[in-house]
Amino acid sequence: MSHQLPDVQASQPDVTVGLSQVGVTGVEKLVKLDRNGQCPIVLMAEFEVFVDLPSGRKGIDMSRNMQVIDETLEAAVSEPSYRVEEVCGDVAERLLEKHDYTSTAEVRMEADYVTREETPASGLGTQNTATIIAGAVATENGTREEIGARVTGMTVCPCSQGMSESRARETLAGLGVDDEITEAFLDKVPQPGHSQRGHATLTITSDGSPDVDLRDVIDVARDAMSARIYNLAKRPDEDHMTYHAHANAKFVEDCVRSLAESVVEEFGHLDDDTVIHMKQSNDESIHQHNAHAERELSLKALRSEVGLGR
């Protein structure tokens, strides 16, 4: 003899307060992205999935969320030419369809993305790892999708370097070197400054899928710091990275502004209401704290600010 199980989630809660995000986090799934005949990209991705919950409902249908994720990701594996942000958009839209009590569904995803490259001086083959950041928010008005990346690089402190230059000028003057030769030397040989491992994050959000190539986003983020770094580095490569980083010293604020300038140059074709999120965090080498700078704004506003700066 069977009996009907009560739908506890649909009952009224003791405290009738609505919630903006209810769902699951830490969901790991294998995602295969087709590339039109090229070798596919296989990602071990971690998802977060949320819907909003009205004040009169005790809980969401958690098992239904998991079913939608499984169904959509399985479909993504079998479909050609998928973009990760479109996978997120599909999941968000299906969530909205299957939960008649929600008005917003949100999906976020992160995954490590490995590309092949050559070291800057010795030309040896190596790999670079970036973290893909993708997401989507679906409402009755449509779906906005996000694509971006978090990358690691190297920065050098301009303030520390300025103090080293001052010491070098005094030392060279004491050795009888004239000012013209001193300035020529300092122009050719960047002085030491304390360095940091930097983490640049750039994401782009628009109606539908942003018209950008993920590899271009990664390149813009890597080049916003003082120098790129590489998993493999022979001594000539170490010298190359050290020299170029010190020749291009940047504060954490400078890195975000470099991101801003490059976004306008590289992605100027995007619509005005595209949202740009730029973030830089540096692991300080001579302090116990870290440095951080961040900005989020529309591409229209960013164009205006970069134009004024120029």
Side-chain angles (χ1 to χ4, degrees):
M1 181 177 179
S2 63
H3 61 278
Q4 185 75 27
L5 295 175
D7 189 358
V8 179
Q9 290 95 333
S11 63
Q12 183 166 310
D14 296 333
V15 181
T16 53
V17 173
L19 304 174
S20 58
Q21 290 179 318
V22 181
V24 293
T25 64
V27 181
E28 294 184 341
K29 292 292 178 181
L30 198 65
V31 180
K32 178 182 176 183
L33 303 178
D34 247 346
R35 293 198 300 163
N36 292 326
Q38 299 182 52
C39 182
I41 298 172
V42 180
L43 303 171
M44 175 55 76
E46 183 171 310
F47 286 86
E48 296 180 343
V49 179
F50 306 107
V51 296
D52 64 332
L53 188 68
S55 60
R57 187 179 175 92
K58 189 175 184 67
I60 67 169
D61 298 312
M62 196 70 73
S63 61
R64 185 176 298 175
N65 280 15
M66 292 303 300
Q67 181 182 1
V68 170
I69 294 171
D70 283 334
E71 289 175 353
T72 306
L73 293 182
E74 287 300 320
V77 170
S78 61
E79 291 286 340
S81 302
Y82 248 83
R83 299 162 66 106
V84 286
E85 64 271 30
E86 290 176 349
V87 174
C88 294
D90 283 350
V91 176
E93 289 168 0
R94 292 191 185 204
L95 279 171
L96 205 60
E97 292 174 2
K98 288 182 175 290
H99 295 77
D100 55 9
Y101 52 82
T102 66
S103 60
T104 304
E106 181 177 356
V107 178
R108 301 173 187 160
M109 189 213 82
E110 289 195 5
D112 287 339
Y113 177 56
V114 179
T115 56
R116 296 188 180 276
E117 59 185 357
E118 291 186 351
T119 56
S122 60
L124 297 175
T126 184
Q127 295 182 349
N128 171 60
T129 303
T131 299
I132 298 175
I133 300 170
V137 176
T139 68
E140 62 180 10
N141 296 322
T143 303
R144 287 182 66 81
E145 296 177 357
E146 175 188 41
I147 186 63
R150 181 168 59 251
V151 302
T152 304
M154 178 180 177
T155 62
V156 173
C157 176
C159 183
S160 173
Q161 187 178 61
M163 290 186 286
S164 295
E165 287 182 355
S166 178
R167 182 188 297 273
R169 284 190 180 91
E170 292 176 1
T171 301
L172 291 171
L175 294 172
V177 180
D178 65 53
D179 292 345
E180 185 176 349
I181 294 176
T182 293
E183 293 307 317
F185 171 79
L186 293 176
D187 185 57
K188 294 290 186 181
V189 183
Q191 295 303 291
H194 75 82
S195 62
Q196 307 92 17
R197 176 173 291 183
H199 309 278
T201 303
L202 171 62
T203 66
I204 300 171
T205 305
S206 68
D207 291 333
S209 181
D211 182 20
V212 298
D213 190 311
L214 176 60
R215 291 165 296 184
D216 293 336
V217 174
I218 291 172
D219 284 339
V220 166
R222 291 184 76 191
D223 289 336
M225 291 174 277
S226 294
R228 294 189 176 198
I229 61 173
Y230 298 82
N231 287 335
L232 172 66
K234 302 294 285 184
R235 290 177 65 186
D237 302 309
E238 293 177 356
D239 178 64
H240 180 279
M241 285 185 278
T242 303
Y243 176 86
H244 283 276
H246 283 79
N248 188 30
K250 290 183 177 182
F251 291 123
V252 66
E253 299 94 334
D254 295 322
C255 295
V256 174
R257 288 170 175 141
S258 291
L259 274 174
E261 186 173 41
S262 294
V263 164
V264 171
E265 291 175 353
E266 295 293 330
F267 308 123
H269 62 282
L270 297 175
D271 293 337
D272 283 348
D273 64 351
T274 300
V275 174
I276 308 298
H277 187 187
M278 304 164 291
K279 180 167 63 175
Q280 179 73 27
S281 296
N282 289 346
D283 300 334
E284 293 284 351
S285 59
I286 65 170
H287 305 294
Q288 291 187 338
H289 60 263
N290 295 326
H292 183 91
E294 188 169 355
R295 183 74 190 279
E296 181 176 285
L297 72 171
S298 71
L299 184 55
K300 180 179 180 179
L302 184 60
R303 286 193 190 100
S304 176
E305 289 193 24
V306 170
L308 287 174
R310 286 173 175 165

